[in-house]
Amino acid sequence: MIVARAPGKLVALGEYAVLDGAPALVLALDHYAEAVIGPSPDGRCRLETLAPAAVEQRFAPGARSGAALVDLVTAAASPPLAWNATLDSTAFFAGPAKLGLGSSAAVLCAWAGAFTAFARSAGRDLAQPGVGALIDLHRAFQGGRGSGLDVAASLTGGAITFSLEPSGVPRIGSVRLPNSVGFAGIFTGRSASTPELVAHYRAWRRDRPEQAESHFRRLAAVAESGCAAARGDDAGAFVESLAEYGRVLQNLGEAIGAEIVTAEHRQIGEHARRYGVAYKVSGAGGGDLGLACAVDSEALAAFTKSVTDRGFRVIKVSLAKYGLVVEQRVAEGAQ
């Protein structure tokens, strides 16, 4: 039996600007997608997905599973294999609502790791897909959109910088965050569609290139300053960069006519300022998560208690030390 786990992510800096070459700073979060796969007892495939609700599918090898991410990976095995698998991404949901922690990238990485190891154990010469190949698969799943930073975080773990070369090749670096900085994720209660927002941004950038370039330069400058502050262990400058990036994201949303910073995010942000806590949308916006950040741990704790009392869900931000991990285990009862 093969078991693979891959973490989710939170974006600290670089949303939207990363699509055009600016750096992003991404935190791999210790919320994991898990894929378990083993031999089929009857020559057919069985897939159980556990989020947002448990669903089981049975189908012939090579047939569609009902899960597009699964099919994108298994297409590499020819002739097709029979297998029995479970995909668990419950850590990325609050009931039926998706939290915005990069569930699809984490599921893709976990499944690719597990399925490749299973195929190799079955004698297939299947190479483990690298970050570029997995980003391409994830973009195919998202209709050709996305930078790939979520895939990179799931594969690598820790805190990373991520950017795209003009050729589209990803560049990934590890970064040590200032020790005195604390984080908290705040779920607004409303899930969002990243592909739709990215498509809206792309259309606006195409139709208004001069206005878009002005906004891009501002986003890129703040992201670069924040990444430099992190590398230089400058906690104060790093926190201010997050706060400033939140402000320029709100300006971007107003410019493109999309609600990147929703009413819920504005409410949380105003509340954060009363406690001296920096706050910004994390990811494409439109709902999902915000990221709170402060040097003063007591102020951050008081803020998170206050927003919890107001009905928002607080997500503890602990870095995932490792990215994708694949293990072979002995199935229960097989010893």
Side-chain angles (χ1 to χ4, degrees):
M1 178 173 66
I2 307 295
V3 180
R5 300 173 79 232
K9 64 89 179 80
L10 279 171
V11 184
L13 293 164
E15 293 94 337
Y16 291 98
V18 71
L19 296 167
D20 296 297
L25 196 154
V26 194
L27 315 178
L29 198 65
D30 64 348
H31 286 233
Y32 293 88
E34 182 175 87
V36 180
I37 185 170
S40 167
D42 58 9
R44 290 177 61 80
C45 292
R46 172 189 169 275
L47 174 66
E48 182 181 20
T49 55
L50 299 181
V55 177
E56 182 178 307
Q57 299 283 350
R58 294 178 183 272
F59 47 93
R64 291 186 178 181
S65 68
L69 285 172
V70 168
D71 297 339
L72 285 168
V73 173
T74 57
S78 180
L81 291 162
W83 42 264
N84 185 16
T86 301
L87 272 176
D88 185 356
S89 57
T90 52
F92 295 82
F93 289 82
K98 189 167 66 171
L99 293 172
L101 298 174
S103 59
S104 62
V107 167
L108 173 65
C109 291
W111 176 249
F115 182 78
T116 301
F118 174 74
R120 291 174 68 87
S121 71
R124 302 299 172 83
D125 185 18
L126 198 62
Q128 177 68 46
V131 63
L134 285 172
I135 287 174
D136 288 343
L137 288 175
H138 197 238
R139 284 182 183 147
F141 171 71
Q142 293 189 314
R145 305 180 185 98
S147 67
L149 59 76
D150 42 7
V151 172
S154 288
L155 278 176
T156 306
I160 65 168
T161 55
F162 178 92
S163 61
L164 293 171
E165 300 285 354
S167 63
V169 174
R171 174 174 289 184
I172 304 165
S174 62
V175 62
R176 183 182 179 89
L177 297 174
N179 287 330
S180 57
V181 174
F183 298 93
I186 316 295
F187 180 55
T188 64
R190 189 202 313 185
S191 297
S193 171
T194 296
E196 288 181 10
L197 284 164
V198 169
H200 192 100
Y201 168 78
R202 282 295 199 199
W204 169 79
R205 188 159 174 71
R206 182 187 64 244
D207 295 341
R208 297 178 178 268
E210 292 183 3
Q211 184 184 10
E213 185 61 25
S214 175
H215 280 274
F216 167 75
R217 285 197 299 270
R218 183 58 185 153
L219 289 164
V222 178
E224 288 165 359
S225 294
C227 289
R231 288 191 293 267
D233 197 29
D234 189 336
F238 179 73
V239 171
E240 177 51 37
S241 291
L242 262 72
E244 178 62 15
Y245 207 88
R247 292 188 282 269
V248 293
L249 276 178
Q250 182 162 344
N251 294 338
L252 176 67
E254 292 167 358
I256 71 178
E259 199 179 28
I260 292 175
V261 181
T262 64
E264 296 91 344
H265 281 304
R266 292 194 296 273
Q267 177 187 346
I268 297 168
E270 290 169 3
H271 198 58
R273 284 189 287 275
R274 298 191 195 108
Y275 286 85
V277 171
Y279 181 80
K280 64 176 284 292
V281 168
S282 178
D288 280 351
L289 282 172
L291 183 63
C293 179
V295 175
D296 186 337
S297 60
E298 291 183 0
L300 184 62
F303 162 72
T304 56
K305 181 182 183 304
S306 179
V307 293
T308 301
D309 292 343
R310 288 168 176 256
F312 294 107
R313 181 187 180 104
V314 175
I315 297 171
K316 183 179 179 182
V317 176
S318 296
L319 286 182
K321 186 175 181 180
Y322 302 105
L324 172 66
V325 174
V326 183
E327 301 175 322
Q328 187 157 8
R329 299 181 187 170
V330 176
E332 293 183 12
Q335 295 181 347

